[in-house]
Amino acid sequence: DSGVTQTPKHLITATGQRVTLRCSPRSGDLSVYWYQQSLDQGLQFLIQYYNGEERAKGNILERFSAQQFPDLHSELNLSSLELGDSALYFCASSAIGDSTSPLHFGNGTRLTVT
Amino acid sequence: GQQVMQIPQYQHVQEGEDFTTYCNSSTTLSNIQWYKQRPGGHPVFLIQLVKSGEVKKQKRLTFQFGEAKKNSSLHITATQTTDVGTYFCAGPQNYGGSQGNLIFGKGTKLSVKP
């Protein structure tokens, strides 16, 4: 058990809808990351937060947004969903959020857009 | 843009055979991390390499970081069925930068036939 909690585990929704994915980092970790994993596409970095502030941004679509709250949990909002957004979304956390900190991944949220 | 590439994409071996996956970066890396994702699971941190030419061992797993810090390899001796999964390498987005996000290779999916 990595200590990172993601909810929900599965999400099935229709095109055009909006969903929110939630992540609680490991106790003591200040940085949260969001990654998207599609079939055969590896792990695509979306966004990183550190202690409530955005630290780095990857290939995150404008339809997607995220935030990290004062209690350090994070939410990833996906709107105007398209079929191509179907994927496994991982949250990861690390202690101090620098490039030498190992990432601890949650179990992921599997999003299916129909 | 910066890329981390892995080969091969897939590897099928007989139990007891050796396995190697290679990771190449388009830029010099300050460090490299390796992760393993079991089928249906989430990525789990294996190891980090920091020094040029560094070699680290974990039981049957041997990790190397190239002299130029642009490539790395993972070698598994005498594979077992428990080694099944996808192995990812990951490097920092910016060499020497303070950002903590990692760029992942697409991974090498290992299957082991008993």
Side-chain angles (χ1 to χ4, degrees):
Chain A
D1 182 16
S2 68
V4 177
T5 305
Q6 283 189 253
T7 56
K9 278 182 101 168
H10 302 277
L11 208 44
I12 301 174
T13 189
T15 53
Q17 294 299 304
R18 172 189 167 96
V19 296
T20 298
L21 281 52
R22 183 188 167 102
C23 169
S24 293
R26 275 191 337 159
S27 176
D29 283 358
L30 297 178
S31 196
V32 168
Y33 308 73
W34 288 97
Y35 283 86
Q36 179 193 58
Q37 186 174 46
S38 305
L39 206 60
D40 293 333
Q41 286 300 309
L43 289 154
Q44 298 294 317
F45 169 69
L46 296 178
I47 199 162
Q48 178 199 1
Y49 284 86
Y50 177 78
N51 205 20
E53 304 221 345
E54 182 184 305
R55 176 169 272 194
K57 215 166 189 175
N59 298 321
I60 187 166
L61 300 170
E62 283 192 17
R63 301 183 285 108
F64 296 1
S65 65
Q67 54 182 327
Q68 186 180 27
F69 294 88
D71 67 352
L72 300 178
H73 92 270
S74 178
E75 292 181 357
L76 177 67
N77 300 296
L78 315 176
S79 62
S80 302
L81 285 167
E82 301 175 359
L83 295 177
D85 297 328
S86 296
L88 193 50
Y89 290 84
F90 283 109
C91 169
S93 71
S94 73
I96 56 175
D98 73 351
S99 64
T100 62
S101 300
L103 299 185
H104 302 273
F105 285 82
N107 289 329
T109 293
R110 183 167 293 283
L111 173 66
T112 303
V113 183
T114 61
Chain B
Q2 185 181 0
Q3 288 188 337
V4 173
M5 295 148 288
Q6 272 185 266
I7 54 169
Q9 193 174 355
Y10 302 95
Q11 185 80 58
H12 309 282
V13 300
Q14 193 77 33
E15 190 172 20
E17 290 181 340
D18 291 356
F19 158 77
T20 304
T21 173
Y22 300 91
C23 178
N24 292 290
S25 170
S26 59
T27 61
T28 304
L29 301 171
S30 58
N31 59 280
I32 195 160
Q33 298 182 15
W34 285 91
Y35 292 78
K36 176 184 178 181
Q37 184 177 18
R38 293 182 187 275
H42 58 273
V44 174
F45 173 77
L46 293 177
I47 206 160
Q48 176 171 248
L49 303 170
V50 178
K51 298 177 186 174
S52 169
E54 188 170 13
V55 178
K56 283 189 176 180
K57 292 192 176 186
Q58 287 180 350
K59 297 183 181 177
R60 295 176 297 103
L61 277 61
T62 302
F63 303 84
Q64 281 190 297
F65 201 8
E67 294 291 340
K69 302 183 80 173
K70 292 185 73 174
N71 57 72
S72 181
S73 65
L74 157 59
H75 179 83
I76 302 178
T77 303
T79 55
Q80 300 175 358
T81 54
T82 52
D83 296 324
V84 163
T86 301
Y87 293 85
F88 294 98
C89 63
Q93 175 89 46
N94 298 299
Y95 173 68
S98 61
Q99 290 176 314
N101 63 291
L102 297 175
I103 296 179
F104 281 77
K106 289 194 174 182
T108 296
K109 190 171 183 178
L110 172 66
S111 62
V112 178
K113 189 174 180 183

